[in-house]
Amino acid sequence: MPPAHLTDRRPELGADELISALVPPPRFDTVRFSTYVPNPDEPSQAEAVVRCSAFADRITAAAAKKPSRFRALFGGERQDTGPMGMYLDGGFGVGKTHLLASTWHQAPGPKAYGTFVELTHLVGALGFPEAVRRLSEHRVLAIDEFELDDPGDTMLVTRLLRELTSAGVFVAATSNTLPDKLGEGRFAAEDFLREIQSLAQRFAVVRVDGPDYRHRGLPDAPPPVTEDELAASAATVEGSTVDDFDALCAHLAELHPSRYGRMLDGVTRVHLRGLHPAPDQSVALRLVAFADRLYDRAIPVVVSGRPLPDLFTDEMVNGGYRKKYLRAVSRLTALARDAGKPVR
């Protein structure tokens, strides 16, 4: 049987499916605060576990009091006067998503979890009033990768969060860095609070310091394989896909990034032939979103052509989206190492 191709997949998601899909991705299905291992050299990580757990406990306590959402929507006072939002502030690879998902798991339902891109797609698909109505039925909304680099979408989601927090919905979020902020270790709390403007006072900031845990004491990305080795890997691992790199880039341009995850359903290993540096920023940013969905699903990656660290040019890495590109390389490197482990 010939190998499957991601380029043959064009997933569609209906409105109800978009709502039901708002759960942590497979990599974070089983994470909990107890499985987060703080770096002993970074005290803020242990403190973040305590603060995130306390935030989840506040949601549980608020749920036990069963406040009237009707009163909240029309100006009724809620009994819990603490911040309705929590923002996890830190560089990539410090476990922010682990903490965000753990908060979601510990909090009572109904609850929703999604990336910023998935949230904006949901609003586009349902319309703003219906999105507010559907999400207001939840006790907590967790947002990973809050995009600070798109002013229009940021304003849209800020308006959405204002409606939701006024309705009594708790919000937990992580974010990237604004595109004109170049330092990879730079924290984004000031940017996040400024961009959400009137909502800033509703968010408490939880700092998570530290180096990228994915590469502490580990070797660099494995070198690209030969075409024969790539074909052998695809033939060995059931559920593999094989695609030409350029063809995949063209295919990603035809799909909304919120569909990238569904495109990977049932895939156990991704093989890319002829990897080379992304030709422009638009392609590069789509590859970042694709890498995030691969990582969410813990799908190993095998490539031929150029090494993974060459995926983004020096100009890109030293430009405004530096943090995104470095995170993508970090995640893809981890997935490439996974591909070298014995198949169970």
Side-chain angles (χ1 to χ4, degrees), residues 35-335:
T35 63
Y36 182 87
V37 182
N39 185 336
D41 297 326
E42 303 291 346
S44 67
Q45 294 189 9
E47 175 64 20
V49 173
V50 173
R51 293 188 61 187
C52 290
S53 181
F55 185 75
D57 288 343
R58 283 184 53 226
I59 300 170
T60 301
K65 294 174 182 176
K66 298 182 179 178
S68 167
R69 291 196 181 280
F70 180 85
R71 286 179 55 204
L73 282 168
F74 291 94
E77 294 184 0
R78 61 187 180 89
Q79 294 176 317
D80 184 349
T81 58
M84 294 295 290
M86 178 183 69
Y87 171 70
L88 291 166
D89 180 32
F92 60 88
V94 294
K96 297 192 305 296
T97 300
H98 186 137
L99 291 169
L100 182 71
S102 297
T103 302
W104 186 92
H105 284 300
Q106 183 166 306
K111 50 192 176 181
Y113 180 110
T115 65
F116 181 90
V117 169
E118 289 169 334
L119 197 60
T120 56
H121 184 53
L122 176 71
V123 175
L126 299 182
F128 189 84
E130 180 65 7
V132 170
R133 187 187 73 79
R134 295 269 195 132
L135 292 173
S136 291
E137 298 172 353
H138 296 77
R139 300 192 190 282
V140 60
L141 170 64
I143 308 172
D144 200 17
E145 303 164 18
F146 198 108
E147 297 282 351
L148 296 174
D149 46 33
D150 187 315
D153 283 347
T154 299
M155 290 178 62
L156 172 70
V157 175
T158 298
R159 180 185 167 204
L160 176 68
L161 296 188
R162 185 181 302 113
E163 297 279 354
L164 295 179
T165 54
S166 295
V169 179
F170 288 82
V171 176
T174 71
S175 82
N176 60 23
T177 302
L178 284 168
D180 60 344
K181 309 300 184 182
L182 306 185
E184 66 180 276
R186 189 183 173 287
F187 293 87
E190 291 180 5
D191 297 326
F192 176 79
L193 296 177
R194 182 179 64 249
E195 292 302 311
I196 63 174
Q197 300 174 22
S198 61
L199 279 179
Q201 73 277 11
R202 303 188 190 186
F203 275 80
V205 175
V206 177
R207 183 80 171 255
V208 193
D209 298 288
D212 184 351
Y213 78 91
R214 283 183 286 269
H215 306 297
R216 291 201 300 259
L218 294 175
D220 292 333
V225 301
T226 66
E227 297 302 326
D228 288 343
E229 289 171 332
L230 186 143
S233 171
T236 301
V237 180
E238 186 176 354
S240 289
T241 62
V242 178
D243 291 273
D244 290 325
F245 179 72
D246 286 330
L248 178 66
C249 290
H251 186 60
L252 294 178
E254 297 174 354
L255 297 177
H256 189 278
S258 63
R259 301 181 186 177
Y260 291 177
R262 182 56 58 89
M263 181 176 64
L264 293 167
D265 282 355
V267 175
T268 59
R269 183 173 292 190
V270 165
H271 300 78
L272 298 178
R273 285 192 299 245
L275 184 136
H276 60 78
D280 58 56
Q281 198 112 264
S282 295
V283 173
L285 290 173
R286 284 191 286 269
L287 289 169
V288 168
F290 180 66
D292 286 340
R293 302 294 76 80
L294 286 170
Y295 185 76
D296 285 345
R297 287 154 179 78
I299 299 174
V301 174
V302 179
V303 303
S304 66
R306 297 279 289 274
L308 281 168
D310 292 352
L311 183 56
F312 307 111
T313 65
D314 289 344
E315 182 180 4
M316 291 174 181
V317 172
N318 292 319
Y321 295 103
R322 174 180 177 83
K323 199 170 183 180
K324 283 189 174 186
Y325 297 142
L326 291 175
R327 183 189 70 202
V329 170
S330 168
R331 289 182 163 187
L332 288 170
T333 296
L335 295 175

Side-chain angles (χ1 to χ4, degrees), residues 8-40:
D8 293 334
R9 300 184 172 201
R10 296 180 178 274
E12 298 288 343
L13 290 90
D16 289 337
E17 206 173 2
L18 287 170
I19 292 290
S20 64
L22 292 176
V23 296
R27 179 180 286 273
F28 300 99
D29 271 349
T30 60
V31 301
R32 298 294 187 273
F33 291 124
S34 61
T35 63
Y36 182 87
V37 182
N39 185 336

